[in-house]
Amino acid sequence: MRVFAHRGYSGKYPENTMLAFREAEKTGADGIELDVQLSKDGELVIIHDETLNRTTTGKGYVKDYTLSELKSFNASVIKGNTCAPEQIPSFEEYCEWVKDTRLVTNVELKTSIVYYPEIEEKLTEMIKVFKLEDRVIFSSFNHLSIVRMKQFLPDCPVGALVEHDDLQFAGYYCNKYGFEYYHPDSSLFTKENADNCRQYGIGVNSWTVNDLGTFERLYEWGAEGVFTNYPRILADWAHRN
Ligand code: G3P
Ligand code: MG
């Protein structure tokens, strides 16, 4: 089973920062999950919320600041300032680093609240520039975004994210639309849907799995991967079994 560090090694380091990504690599995780949005000047940036307030010293919407303005904020405040200051990474900066690792990247497009113009085109270009086509999965709660990624990069797998509920007949749905993966909330995912995904040849990557009990249950149900804030523990388990 593949272990993805959710927002990097976010259980221990400030989420979605280069520090969290570098530390995730050291845990033996197979991959990294990160969230992308667009700055005011159309640059791909890595941050989870549409607003800066929770994770940085900035205030207001990401979309209202240029990349250089976003870079002036401290993105490590969420860990109570116990870490040295960290910047919001650009996706380009991340690609420059990850290209020399063995890691797979799950790029989550945050397009459900702000629909960023041409974010899919910009991601496509960046993936091509850094030749990451065989080490990337795209996912989004907004399935229009993964349909568009499939149009631009047909050979790159995509995952349908769902929240609030488990999607009935998820395997059928993903198969119908050409999505390779289903990405459910682990607390809502059912055995029926695990079986439905297996029936239609759809891989399951579930989030956010921070305990071994859930991890083992998903393993028994045939899930292919998990997203976790604590990649060291789960990567050790996954590589032993
Ligand atoms: O991609 C899995 C997970 O990250 C989805 O939820 O809110 O953590 O981006 P969220
Ligand atoms: Mg995410």
Side-chain angles (χ1 to χ4, degrees):
M1 189 137 86
R2 283 202 297 199
V3 173
F4 289 86
H6 180 240
R7 312 179 195 175
Y9 192 166
S10 61
K12 200 164 170 193
Y13 300 94
E15 66 180 57
N16 280 327
T17 60
M18 289 308 300
L19 173 65
F21 301 143
R22 283 192 298 269
E23 293 297 328
E25 189 200 7
K26 294 180 196 166
T27 67
D30 303 283
I32 284 175
E33 187 267 357
L34 52 80
D35 308 286
V36 294
Q37 321 226 13
L38 282 190
S39 66
K40 186 178 178 181
D41 50 346
E43 297 291 335
L44 292 159
V45 289
I46 304 177
I47 184 166
H48 179 271
D49 298 1
E50 286 72 17
T51 53
L52 298 158
N53 306 40
R54 181 179 63 87
T55 57
T56 80
T57 48
K59 286 199 178 5
Y61 280 88
V62 173
K63 69 176 176 57
D64 292 333
Y65 293 91
T66 63
L67 176 61
S68 78
E69 286 166 342
L70 290 171
K71 284 273 177 199
S72 69
F73 302 129
N74 180 2
S76 75
V77 288
I78 194 162
K79 291 292 168 198
N81 280 328
T82 51
C83 295
E86 283 289 317
Q87 292 182 326
I88 295 170
S90 68
F91 186 63
E92 181 174 15
E93 190 179 343
Y94 174 84
C95 291
E96 185 70 53
W97 169 76
V98 86
K99 73 177 183 354
D100 298 322
T101 73
R102 59 182 166 74
L103 295 166
V104 175
T105 303
N106 184 117
V107 179
E108 183 187 340
L109 291 84
K110 284 288 183 203
T111 50
S112 298
I113 295 173
V114 178
Y115 196 86
Y116 296 104
E118 302 195 350
I119 188 170
E120 296 89 358
E121 285 88 338
K122 287 169 196 274
L123 278 169
T124 301
E125 189 189 333
M126 203 65 82
I127 294 301
K128 284 183 174 169
V129 166
F130 288 95
K131 300 185 171 49
L132 290 170
E133 289 93 335
D134 57 350
R135 285 197 290 131
V136 71
I137 301 174
F138 297 102
S139 65
S140 185
F141 289 112
N142 182 344
H143 298 181
L144 177 58
S145 274
I146 55 172
V147 166
R148 295 199 79 221
M149 290 314 305
K150 227 20 195 171
Q151 286 169 350
F152 296 131
L153 292 168
D155 295 334
C156 294
V158 300
L161 268 166
V162 289
E163 59 183 340
H164 305 313
D165 210 346
D166 201 16
L167 183 69
Q168 297 302 302
F169 304 111
Y172 171 85
Y173 170 78
C174 290
N175 177 266
K176 193 90 181 158
Y177 287 96
F179 306 153
E180 290 84 352
Y181 292 103
Y182 178 54
H183 288 191
D185 178 337
S186 62
S187 65
L188 302 168
F189 185 49
T190 62
K191 172 78 164 59
E192 287 70 32
N193 244 349
D195 292 343
N196 191 256
C197 285
R198 194 168 325 109
Q199 184 186 340
Y200 285 94
I202 301 301
V204 172
N205 297 310
S206 191
W207 52 278
T208 304
V209 180
N210 290 327
D211 68 279
L212 272 179
T214 306
F215 186 73
E216 285 174 352
R217 174 168 52 81
L218 290 164
Y219 178 79
E220 280 163 21
W221 288 359
E224 211 168 291
V226 291
F227 302 103
T228 179
N229 298 344
Y230 298 94
R232 186 178 299 281
I233 298 165
L234 296 192
D236 283 352
W237 192 99
H239 298 147
R240 267 204 316 273
N241 289 278

